[in-house]
Amino acid sequence: IRAGRLRERSRRAVRGAGQPARRCPASFSPSADTPGHHLPRPPRFASVAPDGSGVGPDEPFQPGRSPRIGEHTCGLLAELGYSEAEIRQLLAEGRAVQCSTDGSPQPASAAMTLLEFFGCSLISFSPALIMFIFTVANNPLKIIILTCSAFFWLLSLLLSSIVWFAVVPLRKQLVFSMVVSILFQEAIRIAFYFFIKRRRGAAAASSAGGSEPLTDADQVTLTAGTGRPVKILHLHSLSYVCGLGFGFMAGAFSMVNLLADISGPGSVGLGGEHEGFLLVSSVLALMFVFLNICWTVVTFVCIEDRRLYFLAYVWGSHLLCSLLTLLNSSASPLLSLVPIMVSLTCALIGLLLSLHLVEANLAGFFTSLVSPAWMLRVCRR
Amino acid sequence: AARAQSEAVNQQQQQSGAEGEQPRVEDVDDEEEDADKLLLYGSKQIIRLFVPVSICMLFVVSIISTVSYYSSTQQYLPYTPFHDQTDDPGKIAWQSILNALIILGLVIVMTIVLIVLYKLRCYKVIQGWLYVTSVLILFFFSLIFFGVLLSTLNLAFDYITMAVCVWNFGLVGQVAIHWKGPLLLQQMYLIFISALMALVFIKFLPEWTTWVLLVLISIWDLVAVLCPKGPLRMLVETAQERNESLFPSLIYSTTAAYMSVGTAEQPQQQQQHDGNVSSDLDESGSHQQQHQAAAQVLNGGGGDGGEAGVSGGHDGDGPDAAGAGSNGLRVRNKAFHDESHGVKLGLGDFVFYSILVGRASSAGDWNTTLSCYFAILIGLSLTLLLLAIGRRALPALPISITFGVIFYFLTSLIVSPFVDALTAQQFFI
């Protein structure tokens, strides 16, 4: 959101400041020698009376302690030309910080934005991170496939952006580009299935490095022509890893700029968005990570098993969840509940569907998620 | 690496054959099984390189985004004399091309000097260069880095404590890199050095010069390594003729496989370092250096990790990294398992990857940074796959840098506006 402004900020910083700021006439005095030009006023010594009174431009130099951060905010803002009401609003919004004399900031703005940053990033990415740590990180081949799938999602985004860029008259109508993007994503998903299938014969499991953490069904032991057992990664675990890669990239591209913006001073929402903006975005990113995993598993397995009618679920739910996020553009945060709940429902349906397709033991799966035995097994590895 | 891996396979098979576990692989000519084994080891080696490359890039990106010293360019090197601040595309184009050509010319000159020195067996000169430049990086550049870091964090530090800390830091780095030390420590220092060099380059090179330079350096890398008369290839062949290890320093190694056995002849560590290292700190004289991944000498006992990539020149007082105990004659210990087959990647590759990602992130857009990061990783894995198939020294720069540059421009020009438009209204695709 603020990426454009960030870029402008950096560009402006590189180019350097231009003319004296128009809002702070008090910092510049007309130069006597060259009429019409201004010279900066000589700097004030940053010293203040121990009672903490605000600075004035004409106070005499008093040797004292160095100023604390945020000590002279109100005085400086007043000098720059802000009115009392504006100063109060800036302080309330957290864009300016005024410390009391003992140095404790009020309000704690920097800590708040960091908290928001960590909170939102954990909402969006902690499930994906945990899934990565427990199921992917110890298998080098899976990590490579994860990277490949993330790259493929990037390719699909690239193609859809090219279409968006090329069709100039429809640039404002994001619906068109969104549908095109969804089509490209699904096409790339299917293409990735064929790509993986071609390499699967040569893809070896990391049998030397240790066993799989979650289930031994990950590996299938085939006997090659010579009778030597060869272990390859099962298609189901491959599809899960691909889905994780797709989902991670999808979530990352929608969230990183937002997260970078909110970790700076101030917070999003000052441009007119509602307070729940960040929360809605983070939760939706989380939903889409899960959804991508389900979609990928369903796609891969139903193509493999030739039950192509399940693709209707994938495409239908993708279109549904994505187009429902169009409701987010309104100012009310409550309307955003619709895409969130629908995405959640689709994710649950997708989970059950994918478990059914891979013929997993549903009861066993859910108990294994919460049973201490599973945790112990994982921790021991 | 592939040569090493196939040897490892044979070794493994022999070992297990001796234990009567599995049939020998040599009987099977099945190409798929061969590819199986290659990928089995190959994926591990790829990951072993992903991690340090990612750490280096992450370090550079985090420093660029927090420390303003490295993201602002006020001074320029004497090698980039054309750096007008202008918006005219034609002027920017010819200025950056000229700058990059000057730097590339320096790289070529240094390579030739290096080859001449090596052919004339002036090992002491090369070694001296190496020590001096690593002293410069580990002490002076690190001092500047820590100073700038402290000022960003708004911490107070006195000079005496700083002197003691930097002295210890630099000295331990020298020992770890040039002599013996724990592998992890050596790897950390190499990553730190590469990141520092990348930061210096991002600071001192004008923006468009950086991109043109990246492209030119990767072309040079390709030419120098693959052409029959290419300088780097001649270097590798000369080293192999003399049965010496080629520049074991300046390489990031994933394994400390090389126990220096006390054999009679121990050739000195050849390290190449070109560059008139300027001691003038303000100028930050950075010069070209080249370093390459070593071609390990195959001993009678078995193979070692082969060359993973040969990097082209990179600017700066080079990170010279003597592989711990890397010497000419290597005897592969029979007790080693597949862990001993490390992969090597030249430090210049680290530097240029980090320059690319750091420059991408200095624009402030994290989508661009992400896509460049993944493009480089994919390029690296493709390079390693090609290495496994081609079984000879390969340049590690071209594929990754090409992908990275293409994706940088495509993402920043086309993808980012699209994604920004979507996220501004919270539309998810």
Side-chain angles (χ1 to χ4, degrees):
Chain A
I1 294 175
R2 303 285 184 270
R5 291 183 214 181
L6 263 176
R7 263 176 261 135
E8 284 178 307
R9 223 184 294 158
S10 64
R11 258 184 253 133
R12 243 182 285 132
V14 168
R15 292 223 190 92
Q19 315 151 13
R22 297 188 196 286
R23 281 205 79 156
C24 43
S27 300
F28 290 84
S29 48
S31 120
D33 309 316
T34 54
H37 289 255
H38 287 77
L39 290 177
R41 302 186 64 197
R44 265 176 294 102
F45 287 104
S47 62
V48 95
D51 60 22
S53 51
V55 294
D58 301 320
E59 276 187 0
F61 170 61
Q62 297 164 9
R65 59 173 174 80
S66 53
R68 296 204 174 85
I69 294 178
E71 197 173 333
H72 305 137
T73 308
C74 293
L76 283 170
L77 284 176
E79 193 186 289
L80 287 174
Y82 286 84
S83 68
E84 282 288 321
E86 286 176 328
I87 295 179
R88 254 181 279 124
Q89 192 192 3
L90 284 172
L91 284 176
E93 286 168 356
R95 291 165 78 186
V97 176
Q98 170 73 37
C99 288
S100 51
T101 44
D102 60 1
S104 60
Q106 4 121 327
S109 64
M112 258 163 43
T113 57
L114 263 189
L115 273 178
E116 211 164 10
F117 167 77
F118 277 112
C120 288
S121 55
L122 283 176
I123 288 177
S124 304
F125 294 119
S126 57
L129 189 66
I130 291 181
M131 284 195 269
F132 174 79
I133 290 176
F134 281 126
T135 57
V136 175
N138 57 352
N139 188 336
L141 196 61
K142 279 185 177 176
I143 299 182
I144 295 175
I145 293 179
L146 189 83
T147 320
C148 280
S149 61
F151 184 69
F152 268 67
W153 192 89
L154 186 58
L155 282 180
S156 80
L157 182 67
L158 186 65
L159 292 172
S160 26
S161 317
I162 291 179
V163 169
W164 170 81
F165 197 75
V167 183
V168 180
L170 286 178
R171 267 193 212 170
K172 289 285 161 74
Q173 309 300 325
L174 284 171
V175 189
F176 167 72
S177 334
M178 282 168 71
V179 172
V180 166
S181 169
I182 292 171
L183 291 176
F184 272 122
Q185 281 183 48
E186 296 306 324
I188 292 277
R189 217 189 295 271
I190 297 177
F192 197 63
Y193 165 77
F194 287 111
F195 173 78
I196 282 288
K197 197 159 158 86
R198 229 167 51 94
R199 308 302 315 161
R200 200 169 148 239
S206 65
S207 43
S211 44
E212 297 303 321
L214 197 49
T215 160
D216 290 326
D218 273 352
Q219 291 178 353
V220 168
T221 308
L222 308 174
T223 40
T226 57
R228 273 191 67 245
V230 172
K231 281 191 173 173
I232 57 171
L233 277 178
H234 202 281
L235 182 75
H236 300 159
S237 78
L238 274 180
S239 61
Y240 158 76
V241 171
C242 298
L244 195 58
F246 271 49
F248 168 73
M249 274 307 250
F253 260 77
S254 37
M255 285 299 292
V256 264
N257 272 336
L258 197 58
L259 290 173
D261 273 334
I262 63 178
S263 62
S267 53
V268 177
L270 303 173
E273 299 103 353
H274 54 83
E275 285 173 351
F277 184 88
L278 290 166
L279 203 58
V280 167
S281 284
S282 322
V283 172
L284 276 174
L286 170 68
M287 291 295 134
F288 270 77
V289 169
F290 281 134
L291 281 170
N292 266 293
I293 299 178
C294 302
W295 291 331
T296 315
V297 173
V298 171
T299 306
F300 279 32
V301 176
C302 75
I303 295 184
E304 174 92 352
D305 295 344
R306 299 276 183 273
R307 293 148 85 176
L308 293 174
Y309 37 86
F310 285 115
L311 282 180
Y313 156 74
V314 175
W315 296 351
S317 63
H318 197 167
L319 279 167
L320 180 69
C321 297
S322 193
L323 292 177
L324 272 180
T325 57
L326 287 167
L327 289 175
N328 278 333
S329 59
S330 57
S332 149
L334 287 177
L335 266 182
S336 307
L337 274 180
V338 175
I340 292 179
M341 298 320 279
V342 171
S343 314
L344 187 61
T345 323
C346 288
L348 286 173
I349 296 178
L351 176 67
L352 291 171
L353 190 58
S354 31
L355 286 174
H356 162 72
L357 279 176
V358 307
E359 282 144 34
N361 183 1
L362 281 176
F365 174 78
F366 283 111
T367 41
S368 73
L369 280 182
V370 298
S371 80
W374 177 80
M375 295 298 292
L376 280 177
R377 241 190 328 138
V378 168
C379 295
R380 224 181 293 132
R381 281 204 198 89
Chain B
R3 188 174 29 186
Q5 287 150 8
S6 55
E7 304 253 1
V9 166
N10 291 342
Q11 179 73 7
Q12 200 78 331
Q13 287 303 314
Q14 282 162 14
Q15 281 180 347
S16 52
E19 299 160 2
E21 262 185 35
Q22 292 172 358
R24 293 169 68 84
V25 157
E26 290 99 328
D27 302 333
V28 180
D29 271 9
D30 197 5
E31 198 185 279
E32 239 188 60
E33 304 231 357
D34 220 7
D36 266 357
K37 284 296 176 180
L38 281 180
L39 276 165
L40 175 70
Y41 291 102
S43 58
K44 270 197 190 158
Q45 315 303 341
I46 294 180
I47 297 302
R48 284 208 186 121
L49 282 184
F50 271 17
V51 172
V53 169
S54 307
I55 292 178
C56 191
M57 290 199 261
L58 187 69
F59 185 72
V60 169
V61 164
S62 55
I63 295 291
I64 291 268
S65 51
T66 52
V67 177
S68 57
Y69 173 79
Y70 286 110
S71 45
S72 63
T73 315
Q74 267 112 32
Q75 267 180 302
Y76 294 96
L77 296 174
Y79 307 105
T80 56
F82 311 103
H83 44 79
D84 301 336
Q85 303 277 359
T86 171
D87 277 335
D88 174 26
K91 197 165 184 202
I92 294 180
W94 70 257
Q95 282 193 340
S96 44
I97 292 178
L98 272 180
N99 283 339
L101 282 175
I102 293 176
I103 299 183
L104 185 67
L106 269 165
V107 170
I108 297 178
V109 164
M110 293 307 175
T111 318
I112 297 177
V113 167
L114 176 74
I115 293 177
V116 164
L117 277 177
Y118 187 67
K119 290 214 162 184
L120 297 178
R121 298 178 188 262
C122 305
Y123 300 138
K124 289 290 186 189
V125 178
I126 301 179
Q127 208 169 357
W129 264 142
L130 203 71
Y131 286 161
V132 168
T133 51
S134 76
V135 157
L136 203 73
I137 298 183
L138 279 173
F139 289 94
F140 292 117
F141 280 9
S142 307
L143 183 67
I144 298 176
F145 171 76
F146 288 130
V148 159
L149 193 65
L150 287 173
S151 75
T152 306
L153 295 174
N154 209 16
L155 292 174
F157 228 71
D158 56 299
Y159 275 117
I160 300 179
T161 319
M162 181 61 113
V164 171
C165 291
V166 169
W167 171 256
N168 281 304
F169 179 79
L171 210 56
V172 171
Q174 279 284 85
V175 168
I177 293 173
H178 290 268
W179 197 42
K180 293 182 196 149
L183 179 70
L184 194 60
L185 194 67
Q186 184 201 4
Q187 289 173 339
M188 275 166 38
Y189 269 104
L190 292 177
I191 294 177
F192 178 75
I193 279 182
S194 315
L196 211 55
M197 288 319 307
L199 286 171
V200 165
F201 280 117
I202 297 175
K203 178 174 172 60
F204 284 111
L205 286 179
E207 185 182 344
W208 284 96
T209 309
T210 319
W211 297 110
V212 180
L213 180 68
L214 281 170
V215 172
L216 287 182
I217 286 282
S218 46
I219 297 177
W220 158 252
D221 200 18
L222 196 63
V223 162
V225 175
L226 292 181
C227 285
K229 279 297 173 188
L232 296 179
R233 185 165 167 166
M234 273 169 31
L235 213 52
V236 169
E237 283 165 1
T238 318
Q240 283 178 343
E241 278 167 34
R242 293 187 192 168
N243 227 21
E244 287 165 349
S245 81
L246 188 68
F247 317 122
S249 65
L250 308 178
I251 304 154
Y252 179 95
S253 156
T254 55
T255 61
Y258 315 109
M259 319 285 228
S260 56
V261 182
T263 54
E265 9 172 8
Q266 279 208 358
Q268 296 103 348
Q269 302 179 349
Q270 290 103 37
Q271 292 129 356
Q272 33 180 342
H273 242 47
D274 302 318
N276 356 330
V277 168
S278 153
S279 53
D280 182 7
L281 286 181
D282 292 6
E283 220 180 337
S284 158
S286 317
H287 307 264
Q288 314 314 327
Q289 280 163 12
Q290 299 181 340
H291 48 75
Q292 310 146 3
Q296 299 307 316
V297 174
L298 297 184
N299 203 357
D304 275 319
E307 49 269 6
V310 181
S311 65
H314 83 95
D315 306 8
D317 314 67
D320 29 324
S326 43
N327 288 309
L329 286 179
R330 285 156 221 277
V331 174
R332 207 182 102 214
N333 197 334
K334 292 274 179 175
F336 281 143
H337 302 296
D338 54 339
E339 303 301 320
S340 68
H341 303 289
V343 193
K344 292 184 171 14
L345 191 64
L347 285 187
D349 300 327
F350 279 85
V351 174
F352 279 110
Y353 294 162
S354 309
I355 289 180
L356 199 152
V357 175
R359 181 52 79 185
S361 80
S362 67
D365 182 21
W366 289 83
N367 290 336
T368 319
T369 316
L370 254 189
S371 63
C372 287
Y373 170 70
F374 276 100
I376 289 184
L377 282 189
I378 293 290
L380 186 61
S381 13
L382 275 178
T383 312
L384 289 173
L385 272 175
L386 279 178
L387 184 71
I389 298 175
R391 303 175 189 236
R392 45 186 278 202
L394 282 185
L397 278 184
I399 303 181
S400 298
I401 298 287
T402 317
F403 274 27
V405 172
I406 291 178
F407 269 83
Y408 170 77
F409 285 110
L410 281 177
T411 314
S412 59
L413 293 175
I414 302 184
V415 175
S416 273
F418 178 52
V419 174
D420 284 344
L422 285 178
T423 47
Q425 310 193 45
Q426 289 185 304
F427 297 161
F428 280 76
I429 44 172

